[in-house]
Amino acid sequence: MADVARSAGVSLKTVSRVINGVSTVDVAMAARVRDAAGQLGFRANFAASALRSGSSSATIGLLIKDLSNEFYATIASGVAEVARAHQTQLITAHSGENAEDEMEAIFDLCRRRVDGLLIVPTGGNHSALRSEIDLGIPMVFLDRNPVGLDADSVVIDNYAGARDATLTLISEGHTRIGVLVDTLNMPTMRQRVEGIHAAFAAAGLPWDDTLLSTNVRGPAEASIAVERLLSLSVPPTAFFCGNNRSSIGALRTLWEQRRTEALVAFDDFQLAELMPRPFRVLRYDNRALGTLGAELLFRRISGEIFDPVTVVLSTELCPRGIQNFQ
Amino acid sequence: MADVARSAGVSLKTVSRVINGVSTVDVAMAARVRDAAGQLGFRANFAASALRSGSSSATIGLLIKDLSNEFYATIASGVAEVARAHQTQLITAHSGENAEDEMEAIFDLCRRRVDGLLIVPTGGNHSALRSEIDLGIPMVFLDRNPVGLDADSVVIDNYAGARDATLTLISEGHTRIGVLVDTLNMPTMRQRVEGIHAAFAAAGLPWDDTLLSTNVRGPAEASIAVERLLSLSVPPTAFFCGNNRSSIGALRTLWEQRRTEALVAFDDFQLAELMPRPFRVLRYDNRALGTLGAELLFRRISGEIFDPVTVVLSTELCPRGIQNFQ
DNA sequence: TTGAAAGCGCTAACAA
DNA sequence: TTGTTAGCGCTTTCAA
């Protein structure tokens, strides 16, 4: 900048004024400055500017597990859209393998003075983030509430969704329902299973724990779990899949064996309606996790003061798969 | 930081040393500093540190169209993985509606002094980026080569892929192939169509332009296009879809009408193998667009000098959909 | 309207 | 090992 000022024969401040296009500058002078800047390949340094003026970094952070998973990618897409509307850049960081990595990633983003943080937590305790929030970096949690910290969040109504879907299955005459879930360490999964239990209790039906397959991490495990359940002496007449990854494995196995058991699956997914057998999904507004979370965050960033909010997204049972399959 | 220094009774520089954990500092002194820092809620300012030390921003930018599209999300996921391995944060910016927005987004990232840029270009001329590259911000282009600029890129072998797949169809006896593509303004689409033309020419077959449907933007348009082609007096006996969005619409229509025409589609997609009819995809390593591009970028960032490189990813024809459909 | 000086938060270079 | 000084690139403050 000093070079530009010298070359244009003006002061530093004049260059600054021209670059920022704020206060009026003599037209000829401004032209000289612009010429010099062009000549010298001058590029404003955003960080230096923000440092001195104390303005914000115009950046928010998103902490997420895995962009190659449709669920997370859709959240990121929603966040990106809102960030863009606020002329804010988005840093997407990966939470890594464990709670420690996740915290490290969060602290890194705080050092970078992001204006705010959206976090899809993977585990651990978040009480250490209290100080960061108090120091002025608001955080909104997505898909799961923070642990040990009272902060904004946008979550899905896992409990009621699972309970109501199970009640629907029960009303259709099913009394034995095979359940496939990922690790019960995930609160979301626990909530879904609790909803199923609640439905059985409400219907006065006994719950048989042998029908619960846990640690179903993906489609392959889901296939195995379905086969195990089908081979029981009294097999289930319906299946409940805890997430879309397990439902894909279950669908494949049920289709391959031409089984007609009912299937209800948490999470909608692309092309679900072209699956080769009918089933139902518990869908919710996946993208809204990102958009509502980001909007909440920007309210905080703008300085609005309000008690921590938890937005709960409701679910809806929808038919999927090819119905008139032959 | 000054507060910390005062509170700990040491100099600024000592605080700096403790924070950065580099050169040895007296243990008791370091403890005092850490105490004071904790007490006062001190948080290092990454930007200020980078400004003074002239170190990099440890950030790269990715310019991409739409994270909710599997193709782009997979690229982003690959980039994120490599960025993480290089302890670098990733800013994902959206290219917006037109070439102007795209340029604006790029310049914004340059002002932020990202270490490098990965760009999935949507159009326009990139010669204006020459100066940014020369000023030290390397750029790698993904999926499409830059226009008016000699720079690194990672692209797919659209021409050969389409040509070879078409030759396969021809060798199976097809002489009339319905083709569905998005706008031919996209070079990738043009290359695919050119590959098809080349196959027809090589086989000595005439090309009938009425079999080409352009501006097929999504599944719905694809369905309409397939119906139009099927209603021709001499309809095609096979279909070639230019991308996965059109193949989904084509698949649906062909399945609904229980048509047995062959279908070849550019781009693999999740769950393709569970589609209710057999077809083939031209698959390639989607994720490698991101990983190879990012690795190339980090070589540039590390200061390695080499002539601009174009990495071409080959394609492979793979069966998809349920084969023993009944 | 323009410019000089000071300083944002931090660290390099040097001195003690 | 510790501290002092200067200054990264920019903008604020205030005087001209």
Side-chain angles (χ1 to χ4, degrees), chain A residues 270-324:
Chain A
Q270 281 176 37
L271 299 183
E273 70 278 15
L274 279 181
M275 292 296 100
R277 84 189 293 281
F279 68 113
R280 279 167 290 186
V281 295
L282 268 170
R283 71 160 291 285
Y284 47 84
D285 192 346
N286 185 349
R287 195 179 173 81
L289 281 171
T291 55
L292 295 180
E295 275 157 14
L296 209 48
L297 185 66
F298 278 110
R299 283 176 57 197
R300 294 271 179 209
I301 291 173
S302 74
E304 211 178 311
I305 308 275
F306 49 92
D307 284 342
V309 170
T310 295
V311 179
V312 180
L313 301 179
S314 63
T315 65
E316 182 191 9
L317 200 59
C318 298
R320 289 289 183 272
I322 289 164
Q323 302 298 316
N324 51 346

Side-chain angles (χ1 to χ4, degrees), chain A residues 48-105:
Chain A
S49 162
L51 175 60
R52 176 61 244 236
S53 67
S55 61
S56 84
S57 66
T59 311
I60 61 172
L62 169 64
L63 208 83
I64 215 162
K65 200 168 148 206
D66 175 17
L67 229 33
S68 67
N69 180 318
E70 179 181 339
F71 174 74
Y72 297 110
T74 305
I75 291 176
S77 168
V79 170
E81 180 192 318
V82 176
R84 200 161 164 236
H86 287 260
Q87 273 120 238
T88 295
Q89 293 288 6
L90 173 64
I91 294 184
T92 306
H94 284 233
S95 25
E97 294 311 306
N98 52 53
E100 242 172 75
D101 288 0
E102 182 178 324
M103 279 303 189
E104 206 30 73

Side-chain angles (χ1 to χ4, degrees), chain A residues 43 89 113 132 258 326, chain B residues 43 108 132 258 326:
Chain A
R43 297 292 181 275
Q89 293 288 6
R113 297 288 192 274
E132 307 299 316
R258 303 297 190 275
Q326 50 180 351
Chain B
R43 296 294 179 275
D108 180 79
E132 308 299 315
R258 304 296 190 277
Q326 50 182 350

Side-chain angles (χ1 to χ4, degrees), chain A residues 41 43-44 46 57-59 84 89-90 92 96 108 111-113 132 135 252 255 258 273 322 326, chain B residues 41 43-44 46 57-59 84 89-90 92 96 108 111-113 132 135 252 255 258 273 322 326:
Chain A
R43 297 292 181 275
F46 180 86
S57 66
T59 311
R84 200 161 164 236
Q89 293 288 6
L90 173 64
T92 306
D108 182 80
R111 274 191 295 275
R112 285 165 186 265
R113 297 288 192 274
E132 307 299 316
L135 258 53
R252 173 171 290 153
W255 180 79
R258 303 297 190 275
E273 70 278 15
I322 289 164
Q326 50 180 351
Chain B
R43 296 294 179 275
F46 181 85
S57 64
T59 311
R84 199 161 164 235
Q89 294 287 6
L90 173 64
T92 307
D108 180 79
R111 273 191 295 275
R112 285 165 186 266
R113 296 289 191 272
E132 308 299 315
L135 257 54
R252 173 171 290 154
W255 180 79
R258 304 296 190 277
E273 70 277 15
I322 290 165
Q326 50 182 350

